[in-house]
């Protein structure tokens, strides 16, 4: 195995570990908390473009009626997107 192959395997291992730790330690933020944590976002921006960020909400359907919670945004995943510059060109 050559040096380049070993480096690629090592980098992939580090990336996998970082992603596993990110999921295990993920902190989910409300829109207001996200705006407070990351100054680049504000409520108006989230209302218009929040659909392009990773986000989740709970949905319950009972007797044909669906009820949903507010959106929650993964803090560590978004921080990684900012650090890796993948936050650009979301659409």
């Amino acid at each position: 195995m050559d040096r380049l192959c070993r480096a690629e395997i090592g980098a992939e291992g580090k990336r996998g570990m970082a992603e596993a730790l990110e999921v295990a330690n993920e902190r989910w933020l409300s829109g207001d908390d996200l705006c407070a944590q990351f100054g680049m976002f504000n409520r108006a921006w989230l209302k218009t473009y929040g659909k392009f960020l990773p986000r989740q909400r709970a949905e319950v359907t009972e007797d044909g009626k669906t009820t949903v919670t507010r959106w929650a945004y993964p803090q560590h995943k978004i921080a990684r997107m900012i650090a890796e510059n993948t936050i650009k060109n979301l659409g």
Side-chain angles (χ1 to χ4, degrees):
M1 187 179 315
D2 66 358
R3 188 178 308 167
L4 180 61
C5 188
R6 278 194 303 255
E8 288 177 7
I9 291 171
E12 188 62 32
K14 282 183 180 179
R15 189 176 14 254
M17 284 297 292
E19 287 177 9
L21 287 171
E22 181 179 290
V23 169
N25 297 321
E26 191 60 81
R27 183 167 174 242
W28 292 87
L29 304 174
S30 69
D32 291 334
D33 291 337
L34 182 75
C35 293
Q37 181 73 32
F38 300 103
M40 66 179 61
F41 303 122
N42 61 43
R43 293 300 296 166
W45 190 94
L46 283 181
K47 185 174 181 176
T48 306
Y49 303 109
K51 62 187 172 208
F52 296 111
L53 291 174
R55 62 184 186 173
Q56 285 289 98
R57 68 178 177 187
E59 296 184 12
V60 176
T61 302
E62 186 175 51
D63 298 328
K65 182 181 178 189
T66 301
T67 305
V68 297
T69 63
R70 295 181 297 170
W71 288 108
Y73 299 87
Q75 176 187 13
H76 298 123
K77 186 171 186 174
I78 292 172
R80 182 173 46 83
M81 290 171 69
I82 293 167
E84 294 175 352
N85 216 21
T86 58
I87 198 79
K88 292 184 176 183
N89 303 317
L90 291 173

